[in-house]
Amino acid sequence: MTTINAETAIRSSPLDTPVTLTPVNWNNRKLFGLLWPLIIEQLLVVTMGIADMIMVSSVGEHAVSGISLVESINFLIITILIGITTGGSVVTSQYIGRNDRENAGSSAKQLIYIGVFISFFLVVFTLIFHRPMLRFIYGNISADVMQSAATYFFFTALSYPFLSLHFSAAALFRSMGNSAITMKAAILMNIVKIGANAFFIYGLKMGVAGAGISTIIGRFSAACMLLFFLTGSRKNIIDLRGITKIKPEWTMIKRILNIGIPSCLESSMFQVGKILVTRIFTVFGTAAIAANAVSSTINSLAFMPGSGYGIGLLIIAGQFMGAGNYSEAKRYTKKILKLAYLTYFLININIWIFMNPIISIFNLSSESHVMCVTFLRIHCITSALFWCLSFVLPNALKAAGDARYVMIVAVCTMWAVRVCSAFVLAFPLGLGPVAVWYAMGADFLFRGIFFTIRWTSGRWMEKRVI
């Protein structure tokens, strides 16, 4: 493909207002401007889940447990949508790095089409099979937990199209280096969600159903906001005019799916494995389920800054690789990894220190509280050491088009290490539910080793996306 320089791209732009493209001119100030909104945004995303847990905890442990079981499945759905947006984000970022505005706009449109199509399919499938899915995955759980899970699953499934539009629009804004607008959308979503929670759960006494309806309203508001600014401003690098005239471009779709499908398989197989090991907790009763739910919710707060760093790395590395500047891609990968490790270390120290007061917020029984402390202590140590290499570094490999290697490593370590060792430790060796958290730490370790070896080998530089 012929490289189009910035001056040519501006002259040939069909827009009335020209935009100067300087996408690969990154410095510490621009890096900070990209990363801090991403971190805040990721934390706000988790706030929605925590708000559900805290507000629904007034209904009882069965409600907390039901939402927790559904969120494991919902996160599988989310990872499918994120996997697709990852493909679109990499392709669009590389075109922006190459200053090819026309193809950047084309890839953006195709990303939105793909995401909406997949989300509608997921809605129909989930609405039909949500109860059989819960029975198949979790087996014999108590009737009150099953009813809570089925209710929450039904309502949250209706929000998938809004979630897809939100993810796609957010990915495109980030590809342009504008993470502030996606942070504002997350703030809006949380304000709407928490306000609706208070109205439906406390005001109308709708319990789990109220939490589900609030999720729909929150995701709808965020999607509308991002789409309004994405399609309504001529100052955006990406041009989405004519998006309503749906026209599939199969070459561009293939480029997106070449990254998106491996990312989907990686994330979905990871989540399937997590769901299977979550079944271990159902064997040990509601107390174990609730303890795992709260521990996972608290740890998700620690994960989110790292997720923000990973998204930032995907965009920055993708732009440099699109421009063919591999030395800068390496330099910024090292810089972002150092920042991620420092942030994650500080967060885990604070979780360790304030663990008991944090757990007390969720109104757990004494048995669940003790289990939760044990789970969190294991996780604080293992994740502080290995999580960043396991989940931040692979974003640089994906940005280069090395998504298949990431997928293979992620699937193999998840099933060979986490799933197998969790069941062996829990039952034959008699460690019980704590085995899942030991197995999780081992997964982080092996995953990090393989990704580090791949990065240092330089094999990722042989890959091509556009």
Side-chain angles (χ1 to χ4, degrees), residues 26-40 177 179-180 183 309 316 332 335-336 339:
W26 287 94
N27 51 43
N28 289 337
R29 182 177 179 180
K30 286 186 66 177
L31 177 64
F32 179 74
L34 176 71
L35 291 178
W36 78 261
L38 286 174
I39 293 171
I40 298 298
S179 57
M183 177 189 70
Y309 285 120
I316 295 173
Y332 272 87
K335 181 180 290 190
I336 291 174
L339 290 171

Side-chain angles (χ1 to χ4, degrees), residues 20-283:
T20 302
L21 303 179
T22 56
V24 292
N25 183 25
W26 287 94
N27 51 43
N28 289 337
R29 182 177 179 180
K30 286 186 66 177
L31 177 64
F32 179 74
L34 176 71
L35 291 178
W36 78 261
L38 286 174
I39 293 171
I40 298 298
E41 178 189 349
Q42 297 304 303
L43 289 170
L44 288 171
V45 170
V46 176
T47 302
M48 181 177 288
I50 294 176
D52 274 348
M53 289 290 187
I54 294 174
M55 298 176 111
V56 174
S57 65
S58 61
V59 181
E61 281 195 354
H62 68 279
V64 175
S65 300
I67 288 179
S68 170
L69 297 179
V70 172
E71 284 300 282
S72 295
I73 303 174
N74 271 339
F75 203 75
L76 172 60
I77 304 298
I78 288 171
T79 56
I80 293 173
L81 299 176
I82 290 177
I84 296 298
T85 59
T86 297
S89 183
V90 169
V91 173
T92 304
S93 294
Q94 289 211 6
Y95 277 125
I96 291 174
R98 188 173 284 192
N99 287 323
D100 188 343
R101 181 171 181 164
E102 181 180 353
N103 277 313
S106 175
S107 63
K109 292 175 185 176
Q110 302 308 309
L111 170 61
I112 292 174
Y113 298 153
I114 296 169
V116 169
F117 174 79
I118 292 175
S119 67
F120 274 109
F121 171 80
L122 292 172
V123 168
V124 173
F125 183 86
T126 303
L127 292 181
I128 295 173
F129 297 108
H130 64 286
R131 282 186 179 272
M133 287 170 65
L134 290 168
R135 292 193 191 96
F136 175 75
I137 294 170
Y138 295 114
N140 295 321
I141 56 179
S142 61
D144 54 354
V145 173
M146 172 60 79
Q147 183 58 43
S148 296
T151 301
Y152 190 72
F153 202 4
F154 177 86
F155 283 109
T156 54
L158 296 174
S159 71
Y160 294 161
F162 307 130
L163 195 61
S164 174
L165 289 170
H166 177 189
F167 286 162
S168 298
L172 296 175
F173 271 116
R174 293 174 193 135
S175 296
M176 294 185 282
N178 186 354
S179 57
I181 187 67
T182 61
M183 177 189 70
K184 293 174 184 177
I187 292 173
L188 173 66
M189 181 168 61
N190 276 265
I191 291 173
V192 172
K193 166 68 174 171
I194 292 173
N197 261 344
F199 177 73
F200 288 114
I201 296 174
Y202 299 142
L204 299 184
K205 307 297 183 183
M206 294 182 66
V208 174
I213 295 171
S214 301
T215 300
I216 298 173
I217 297 172
R219 289 172 175 173
F220 173 78
S221 63
C224 288
M225 174 183 170
L226 287 176
L227 287 174
F228 174 79
F229 285 106
L230 188 62
T231 59
S233 175
R234 296 188 176 186
K235 295 181 179 180
N236 293 327
I237 297 171
I238 295 173
D239 177 17
L240 288 182
R241 290 191 302 175
I243 190 171
T244 56
K245 299 177 182 179
I246 300 174
K247 182 180 178 182
E249 298 179 19
W250 300 111
T251 301
M252 192 65 72
I253 290 173
K254 182 179 179 181
R255 288 173 184 158
I256 294 171
L257 294 182
N258 279 340
I259 304 294
I261 289 177
S263 296
C264 283
L265 290 174
E266 169 213 341
S267 300
S268 59
M269 289 298 100
F270 179 79
Q271 290 306 316
V272 169
K274 283 185 67 176
I275 291 170
L276 285 178
V277 297
T278 299
R279 191 165 184 170
I280 292 175
F281 296 102
T282 65
V283 175

